[in-house]
Amino acid sequence: SSGINAEYGDNKLDIVCLSETWLKLNESVIEREISELGFHIISVPRSSRGGGVAILLRKEYHHIEKKNKFSSFECAEALITRRGCKPVRIVAVYRPPYSALIPLL
């Protein structure tokens, strides 16, 4: 998490989209560290080695996480809502090299 803090927390970024996170399901230690830095994490880990996408959002942003499942790419999606503002949809997509053999959608 020190790398995350140095790159994102110190630069006052509000939203960060990541690919190749290499996170696994229920990595509570990483999730807790990210939370302590002031971010929500929306993570879509790959069940096999490598891959995965994530969106980091500052905690002051309310969001609705949307679950998607595609065969040719990995996708994390959040709808950010703020009182008095139009919702904003953020999507992080990663298409692995092997997916060139599979149509995009």
Side-chain angles (χ1 to χ4, degrees), residues 21-27 31 43 45-46 48-50:
T21 62
W22 285 59
L23 294 176
K24 297 184 177 26
L25 283 173
N26 302 318
E27 289 211 42
E31 291 174 5
S43 178
R46 190 185 293 174
S48 60
R49 183 175 183 263

Side-chain angles (χ1 to χ4, degrees), residues 19-91:
S19 63
E20 290 286 350
T21 62
W22 285 59
L23 294 176
K24 297 184 177 26
L25 283 173
N26 302 318
E27 289 211 42
S28 59
V29 171
I30 299 291
E31 291 174 5
R32 185 173 48 253
E33 289 178 356
I34 289 171
S35 179
E36 289 171 359
L37 294 172
F39 289 98
H40 292 291
I41 181 169
I42 299 165
S43 178
V44 180
R46 190 185 293 174
S47 57
S48 60
R49 183 175 183 263
V53 293
I55 300 172
L56 304 181
L57 298 169
R58 287 249 175 235
K59 286 189 176 180
E60 58 262 22
Y61 291 105
H62 298 282
H63 69 282
I64 300 167
E65 184 175 343
K66 185 167 183 195
K67 300 286 185 183
N68 296 304
K69 184 82 171 155
F70 299 98
S71 60
S72 62
F73 60 92
E74 298 161 7
C75 174
E77 182 176 348
L79 184 66
I80 301 169
T81 59
R82 286 185 78 138
R83 181 176 289 171
C85 298
K86 283 187 162 187
V88 174
R89 183 174 310 278
I90 302 293
V91 181

